[in-house]
Amino acid sequence: MEISKVEYNGAAGLQKKVLERRLCTVCGACVGYCPYIKTFGEQVAVIHDCNICDGVCYRLCPRSFTDYEGLRQSVFGAEDFDPVLGTHTSLYFARAESEKIRAQGQYGGVVTALSLFAMQQGLIDSALMAGGGPSGARPFLCSTSQDIFEMAGSKYTAVPTLSLFQEAVKNGFQRVGIVGRPCQVTASRKMQQVKEISGQNIALVIGLFCFWSLSAELYSFLQEKGLSNCSRMDIPRDGVNFLQEDGSQITLPLEEIRPLIKDTCLACYDPLSELADVSVGSTEQYPGWNTLVVRSNRGRQLVADANKAGIIELQPYPHDRLPVLRRAVFQKKKRVLERPDSTYIGIPDWEKESFIKGGGEE
């Protein structure tokens, strides 16, 4: 595997350059192998300065310098690169063939179906996922198919899933699957390059579409609104839906939760998990389906095998939806590159200028 360029620093740098600037994504990558970095719910804290100037913690952080070009090379080799959507070989509308998985999962249940299939096929022997409900999400190390099934459904807060990676390693898992937000996908690819934490044990990365996540203040918000017992949450285009335990649904205006969006998400250059093996999101048009972006050779083989085995159903991605998706991503990247805190993004000048000066997707 090609090694990307890294910026060396330690816990003090993590504190000053990431945590104090509210850039921490709470991915959890810096937690688990250092006794001086802890999570408190959905917050990461450096509780003691180790005085190490080349710490792994800083190197793995998705908000430290990130050599996107080097990471792309290490994951995809010489595959063609699309600066808007990232490297990909195909796009689909997809859904799980199993009605049970679709009912348990979000939209078409593709993340759950592919994760279960990967474990059944031996591609992974465990998976790090976000569990719990909308009012209490938490990281979870899945070691069985039942675990994966129970994790189904989107969580909209920043769950530090990667904080359990070292627990997975200590438990002897050698083919760990990661399901995570784009920041967690980036951190996972950085982790794969660090042998001292056994990063090579990451075997599959399923990335989620994520234009922003919510702070842990969502939990008190739900309590104030009498929604702390809701079993499912969804954010379509026209509001925020909360499914109650009795089956009823309450919809709130999106503007009510917009103040809860984490600051660091506004500096995120990668809403589609471009470094994942496959990326999965909503279609924003057909609730029973997912958008599926196939990126790496591993992802391509997984999707082909799952489709052949009758695990997932694939439909061609509609031509009229592609400009909509490309426009949304283009505008997001353009806004981020215009921010003063975008200096962590290591991309070629031509790529940056294509967004700052270009107007092809506007």
Side-chain angles (χ1 to χ4, degrees):
M1 174 181 287
E2 297 286 335
I3 303 298
S4 61
K5 300 174 185 175
V6 298
E7 178 186 8
Y8 290 98
N9 212 316
L14 194 70
Q15 175 70 31
K16 184 177 181 180
K17 295 188 175 184
V18 179
L19 297 175
E20 291 181 4
R21 295 171 64 190
R22 299 172 65 85
L23 289 176
C24 176
T25 69
V26 199
C27 70
C30 62
V31 180
Y33 45 84
C34 172
Y36 304 135
I37 301 177
K38 302 289 185 182
T39 55
F40 298 93
E42 295 178 8
Q43 286 188 321
V44 174
V46 176
I47 60 174
H48 182 72
D49 183 5
C50 61
N51 293 317
I52 295 176
C53 60
D54 60 348
V56 171
C57 59
Y58 190 82
R59 206 186 319 168
L60 302 180
C61 178
R63 289 294 183 267
S64 68
F65 174 75
T66 299
D67 175 16
Y68 279 99
E69 190 174 27
L71 289 171
R72 291 165 185 157
Q73 181 69 27
S74 70
V75 177
F76 306 115
E79 292 278 357
D80 291 341
F81 171 65
D82 176 341
V84 178
L85 303 183
T87 299
H88 63 280
T89 58
S90 49
L91 276 82
Y92 299 104
F93 273 6
R95 67 178 182 180
E97 291 278 11
S98 164
E99 291 185 8
K100 182 179 178 182
I101 290 177
R102 292 205 300 270
Q104 180 82 358
Q106 199 86 0
Y107 308 121
V110 170
V111 170
T112 304
L114 288 179
S115 299
L116 287 169
F117 184 66
M119 180 167 279
Q120 290 162 1
Q121 295 299 303
L123 179 59
I124 61 175
D125 58 14
S126 59
L128 299 182
M129 308 180 84
S135 59
R138 67 184 188 281
F140 200 92
L141 169 58
C142 300
S143 59
T144 67
S145 295
Q146 184 62 29
D147 288 342
I148 290 175
F149 182 75
E150 292 177 357
M151 297 304 111
S154 294
K155 288 77 182 177
Y156 290 93
T157 54
V159 181
T161 312
L162 298 180
S163 64
L164 298 181
F165 178 68
Q166 285 305 297
E167 181 178 328
V169 172
K170 291 173 183 174
N171 284 327
F173 294 114
Q174 298 183 351
R175 301 184 302 283
V176 182
I178 304 291
V179 175
R181 294 170 278 131
C183 51
Q184 293 172 314
V185 169
T186 300
S188 298
R189 294 310 190 188
K190 290 184 172 185
M191 292 164 69
Q192 283 183 311
Q193 300 185 345
V194 183
K195 289 184 178 178
E196 54 260 50
I197 64 166
S198 300
Q200 70 277 6
N201 287 18
I202 295 174
L204 177 70
V205 181
I206 297 178
L208 308 172
F209 288 11
C210 177
F211 280 72
W212 41 259
S213 61
L214 301 172
S215 73
E217 293 174 1
L218 174 69
Y219 304 141
S220 55
F221 172 87
L222 293 178
Q223 196 166 23
E224 291 169 6
K225 295 290 183 180
L227 295 168
S228 55
N229 291 324
C230 67
S231 58
R232 182 181 290 262
M233 179 177 170
D234 186 25
I235 307 180
R237 287 182 298 179
D238 52 354
V240 187
N241 297 333
F242 299 94
L243 185 65
Q244 304 277 67
E245 288 184 328
D246 63 3
S248 63
Q249 179 175 293
I250 293 177
T251 300
L252 297 179
L254 180 60
E255 292 309 312
E256 288 204 32
I257 66 162
R258 194 175 290 280
L260 305 180
I261 294 174
K262 292 178 68 64
D263 291 345
T264 187
C265 298
L266 304 179
C268 174
Y269 180 68
D270 175 24
L272 299 188
S273 292
E274 293 181 18
L275 295 170
D277 292 303
V278 297
S279 302
V280 183
S282 77
T283 66
E284 293 198 331
Q285 191 173 31
Y286 302 105
W289 293 79
N290 290 110
T291 295
L292 172 61
V293 185
V294 182
R295 299 189 181 280
S296 70
N297 288 334
R298 178 159 297 182
R300 183 163 44 202
Q301 190 65 53
L302 175 66
V303 168
D305 290 347
N307 180 233
K308 185 178 180 181
I311 301 299
I312 60 171
E313 178 183 353
L314 302 176
Q315 295 288 338
Y317 193 80
H319 291 298
D320 63 330
R321 296 300 300 171
L322 190 57
V324 178
L325 177 63
R326 293 187 67 89
R327 191 177 305 116
V329 176
F330 181 94
Q331 294 294 351
K332 166 73 170 170
K333 289 187 169 184
K334 179 179 174 67
R335 288 195 300 271
V336 170
L337 290 173
E338 290 173 341
R339 291 172 58 95
D341 52 9
S342 66
T343 53
Y344 78 92
I345 302 169
I347 57 175
D349 290 342
W350 68 263
E351 182 178 340
K352 184 173 183 178
E353 290 172 2
S354 72
F355 291 100
I356 299 297
K357 298 180 180 178
E361 308 286 344
E362 293 179 284

